[in-house]
């Protein structure tokens, strides 16, 4: 089960189905960053806007890389980034849980991005666009954030090529469709 929220912004972000290619998806070994020292959830504006049923039960969050924050709620891992994009999930369906979108109007302002959480297995994430362009980013404290070229849209994303700690790689296909224009 996945709940996705975008708080405080009119962002075009969503989570999409994933399908791994080129071998089996490694078993998620967890997120070491969930052991980082916690801070008050009240000190993070994006967390304060979360619905009560998804908010940190103990009022504490763990800072991850790229201004992402995570906490556990029951059996779920919940997270949010600085824009308010986030949600909760019970397990990784692939080694990453990615959001693909644009924080402002498509094609203007800040470029579209792919960002989210990665298991401890993942060392780098390379976003692959349908035209073959590859944009690489590091995983920092179980989080990644990769901005696409200025002309790219979220539906140009084909998937993520993940480099794993053991030297292997896994490709995760994303299904992102352009919005219908009336």
């Amino acid at each position: 089960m996945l709940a996705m929220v975008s708080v405080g912004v009119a962002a075009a972000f969503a989570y999409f189905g994933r399908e791994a290619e080129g071998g089996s998806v490694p078993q998620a070994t967890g997120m070491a960053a969930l052991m980082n020292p916690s801070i008050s959830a009240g000190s993070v504006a994006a967390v304060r806007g979360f619905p009560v049923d998804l908010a940190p039960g103990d009022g504490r969050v763990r800072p991850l890389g790229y201004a992402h924050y995570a906490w556990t709620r029951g059996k779920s891992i919940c997270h949010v980034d600085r824009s308010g994009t986030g949600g909760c999930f019970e397990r990784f369906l692939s080694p990453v849980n990615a959001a693909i979108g644009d924080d402002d109007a498509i094609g203007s302002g800040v470029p579209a991005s792919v960002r989210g959480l990665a298991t401890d297995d993942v060392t780098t994430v390379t976003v692959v666009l349908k035209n073959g362009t590859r944009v690489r980013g590091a995983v920092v404290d179980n989080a990644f954030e990769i901005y696409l070229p200025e002309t790219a849209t979220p539906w140009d994303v084909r998937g993520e090529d993940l480099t794993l700690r053991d030297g292997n790689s896994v490709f995760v296909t994303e299904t992102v469709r352009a919005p219908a224009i009336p």
Side-chain angles (χ1 to χ4, degrees), residues 28-115:
T29 57
M31 291 179 55
L34 285 176
M35 301 308 292
N36 287 351
S38 66
I39 62 172
S40 169
S43 67
V44 181
V47 177
R48 288 194 306 265
F50 249 63
V52 173
D53 61 329
L54 300 177
D58 66 356
R60 310 289 295 172
V61 298
R62 306 245 189 283
L64 309 179
Y66 303 103
H68 287 247
Y69 301 89
W71 61 95
T72 55
R73 180 138 180 115
K75 295 179 181 178
S76 296
I77 297 171
C78 299
H79 66 103
V80 67
D81 65 26
R82 69 178 153 273
S83 76
T85 301
C88 298
F89 59 97
E90 289 188 11
R91 64 186 176 92
F92 281 91
L93 300 178
S94 78
V96 295
N97 186 305
I100 302 169
D102 198 320
D103 282 328
D104 49 32
I106 302 287
S108 67
V110 177
S113 66
V114 178
R115 58 192 189 221

Side-chain angles (χ1 to χ4, degrees), residues 2 4 12-19 85 93-94 96-102 113-115 153-160 172-179:
L2 172 71
M4 199 286 291
F13 264 91
Y15 290 93
F16 299 94
R18 294 173 169 71
E19 179 180 322
T85 301
L93 300 178
S94 78
V96 295
N97 186 305
I100 302 169
D102 198 320
S113 66
V114 178
R115 58 192 189 221
T153 64
W155 47 91
D156 291 331
V157 173
R158 182 172 162 257
E160 299 95 22
V172 179
T173 301
E174 299 288 0
T175 304
V176 184
R177 293 181 180 84

